[in-house]
């Protein structure tokens, strides 16, 4: 059986400053560090004592989340730019209101290649073309249990790559996820079916917040 756990990075500075993320490279907040530890504890319960590989976006908020998981599980992290969030070009790091005033949503007939009107921004296809090969390379490795730490937008394309959905069919797909979420994917050995066992679970964070209140 092959199991893949996809983690969205925990709370970062750009969240609380209400700035555009993308490739704008901010660190975790104090809450984000706590959330990363809570996410690591939950993953330790889910994976048990199996051999693990961890892969992460190289942006600091994801890398710090992955580092917390790696410490908890006692393994190393492989970082890669292929798992980064979508780039918002010149909008990265600007106030969210700046982007909202200029952003042009993709029309129904151009979901994959629309540039949203922002200079230097990636399209959905741009992101898919770097995410799909990387996910396929990770999954093709012999390790049966793997963790990928990435970002909210990128999560949907990681799932699509796992499900072997063609890029041209990804124009409308979306799996909304909050920070620190865990998505669980599994392939059985007999049918070779690729199943989505759970999407964007944050119960480990909400339970922790109740306990701290």
């Amino acid at each position: 059986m092959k199991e893949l756990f996809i983690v969205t990075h925990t709370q970062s500075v750009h969240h609380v400053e209400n700035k555009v993320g993308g490739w704008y490279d901010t660190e975790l907040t104090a809450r984000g560090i706590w959330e990363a530890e809570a996410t690591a504890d939950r993953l330790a319960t889910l994976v048990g004592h199996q051999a693990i590989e961890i892969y992460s976006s190289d942006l600091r908020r994801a890398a710090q989340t992955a580092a917390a998981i790696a410490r908890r599980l006692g393994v190393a992290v492989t970082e890669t730019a292929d798992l980064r969030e979508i780039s918002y070009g010149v909008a990265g790091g600007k106030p969210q209101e700046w982007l909202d005033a200029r952003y042009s949503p993709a029309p129904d007939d151009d979901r994959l290649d629309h540039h949203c009107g922002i200079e230097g921004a990636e399209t959905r296809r741009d992101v898919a073309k770097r995410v799909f090969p990387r996910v396929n390379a990770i999954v093709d490795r012999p390790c049966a249990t793997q963790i990928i730490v990435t970002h909210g937008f990128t999560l949907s394309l990681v799932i699509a790559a796992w499900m072997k959905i063609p890029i041209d069919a990804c124009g409308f797909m979306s799996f909304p996820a909050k920070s620190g979420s865990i998505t669980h994917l599994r392939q059985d050995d007999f049918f070779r079916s690729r199943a989505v066992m759970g999407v964007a679970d944050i119960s480990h964070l909400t339970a922790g917040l109740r306990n701290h209140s």
Side-chain angles (χ1 to χ4, degrees):
M1 186 168 62
K2 183 85 167 185
E3 294 200 285
L4 190 61
F5 296 92
I6 316 301
V7 176
T8 51
H9 70 81
T10 55
Q11 188 188 74
S12 185
V13 171
H14 80 277
H15 292 147
V16 298
E17 293 183 346
N18 199 31
K19 292 182 177 179
V20 178
W23 288 13
Y24 179 54
D25 199 10
T26 57
E27 297 184 343
L28 297 183
T29 62
R31 174 172 172 170
I33 293 170
W34 174 83
E35 289 176 339
E37 298 291 346
T39 303
D41 287 343
R42 177 57 178 158
L43 286 167
T45 299
L46 291 171
V47 305
H49 299 290
Q50 303 174 67
I52 305 292
E53 291 179 343
I54 303 177
Y55 299 87
S56 175
S57 158
D58 64 348
L59 293 174
R60 283 184 290 176
R61 56 194 187 270
Q64 288 177 323
T65 303
I69 297 167
R71 286 193 299 271
R72 181 66 173 82
L73 298 180
V75 296
V77 178
T78 300
E79 296 181 12
T80 172
D82 293 339
L83 295 172
R84 285 185 175 190
E85 181 62 294
I86 187 171
S87 171
Y88 291 102
V90 298
K94 286 183 166 52
Q96 186 64 44
E97 293 83 358
W98 188 95
L99 177 61
D100 294 343
R102 295 163 175 80
Y103 191 89
S104 171
D108 285 358
D109 61 352
D110 189 19
R111 300 289 300 181
L112 289 169
D113 299 307
H114 182 68
H115 277 88
C116 70
I118 306 299
E119 181 184 349
E122 286 187 302
T123 66
R124 183 179 290 255
R125 189 187 302 276
D126 290 334
V127 182
K129 286 174 69 175
R130 58 178 166 80
V131 169
F132 273 52
R134 177 60 62 180
V135 171
N136 291 336
I138 291 170
V139 172
D140 284 347
R141 289 181 54 79
C143 184
T145 304
Q146 297 166 311
I147 296 169
I148 291 176
V149 182
T150 187
H151 307 259
F153 179 89
T154 313
L155 169 68
S156 295
L157 295 174
V158 172
I159 296 173
W162 162 263
M163 298 297 292
K164 294 189 175 295
I165 297 172
I167 291 176
D168 284 342
C170 293
F172 286 90
M173 70 175 302
S174 176
F175 293 89
K178 294 184 178 180
S179 300
S181 71
I182 299 174
T183 294
H184 184 189
L185 311 176
R186 175 182 292 165
Q187 182 174 39
D188 70 89
D189 290 334
F190 186 76
F191 291 107
R192 307 294 294 161
S193 299
R194 293 192 171 187
V196 179
M197 307 300 296
V199 177
D201 178 38
I202 57 166
S203 59
H204 54 289
L205 301 182
T206 55
L209 287 175
R210 288 196 299 270
N211 292 337
H212 280 75
S213 62

